[in-house]
Amino acid sequence: MPAVVLVGPMGVGKSTVGRLLAERLGTGFRDTDDDIVAAEGRTIAEIFLDDGEDAFRAIEKRAVHAALGGHEGVLALGGGAVLDADTRALLAGHRVVYLSMDVEEAVRRTGLNVARPLLAVNPRKQWRELMEARRHLYEEVATAVVPTDGRTPEEVTRAALDALELKEA
């Protein structure tokens, strides 16, 4: 079982904070998006464009379920992984940190660029709509919510450790 699972929207810093958390806890880090890219031999954007969102979500579900059962360190999930009810059920009993941010922070961090397939047209509006559809799902699975707005990755990492009452290794 993972020590900590990170969820939240694209660009919130799950990978960056996840690596810092893993380092502080003296454990490994794994990102299911990286698992998918390695297994498929193409980027997430390419999978979306070539096969569609439904096909990507099926691949993502398998990757998340495998990682939840086979990784003991810090695990970062893709932004849409919580859309799947089976995945949400599997997250019960795990230490899950929802890294949150508002749209202005998302713009600052990612520029809401076209490398994000779900944000290719009218990115601000689409980001807001994605968050309206997902925020309650992130909150549903979360053990702790850690806002990232205006914080450095180190500050977010410290806040996550404090929220979970975890000690550094």
Side-chain angles (χ1 to χ4, degrees):
M1 184 159 103
V4 178
V5 179
L6 299 175
V7 299
M10 60 190 88
V12 75
K14 295 181 298 284
S15 295
T16 301
V17 170
R19 285 184 185 91
L20 287 170
L21 270 174
E23 180 182 304
R24 302 265 168 77
L25 294 171
T27 191
F29 171 74
R30 185 169 174 180
D31 184 322
T32 57
D33 282 351
D34 292 343
D35 291 351
I36 293 167
V37 170
E40 295 294 313
R42 52 196 173 139
T43 67
I44 305 278
E46 289 170 333
I47 297 167
F48 262 86
L49 292 172
D50 294 345
D51 302 340
E53 184 174 359
D54 289 344
F56 171 76
R57 295 294 173 210
I59 295 166
E60 179 179 54
K61 179 178 179 174
R62 289 190 300 273
V64 168
H65 290 221
L68 284 171
H71 182 67
E72 295 180 356
V74 176
L75 179 63
L77 305 187
V82 297
L83 294 170
D84 181 72
D86 292 337
T87 297
R88 291 193 308 275
L90 275 181
L91 288 170
H94 289 273
R95 283 188 196 110
V96 180
V97 176
Y98 163 31
L99 299 180
S100 68
M101 71 178 168
D102 66 22
V103 70
E104 296 312 317
E105 186 78 2
V107 169
R108 189 181 69 73
R109 288 189 190 178
T110 68
L112 294 179
N113 60 32
V114 294
R116 309 283 186 175
L118 291 178
L119 302 176
V121 178
N122 196 348
R124 281 178 191 255
K125 179 177 181 267
Q126 288 181 304
W127 193 88
R128 281 189 186 100
E129 289 173 359
L130 280 175
M131 285 308 299
E132 285 172 20
R134 295 178 182 179
R135 182 175 292 109
H136 71 284
L137 300 175
Y138 294 136
E139 291 170 348
E140 175 187 322
V141 301
T143 307
V145 178
V146 176
T148 64
D149 302 282
R151 289 176 152 174
T152 67
E154 292 78 13
E155 291 168 332
V156 173
T157 300
R158 168 56 40 213
L161 287 168
D162 291 346
L164 295 173
E165 300 178 353
L166 293 173
K167 304 285 185 223
E168 293 185 39

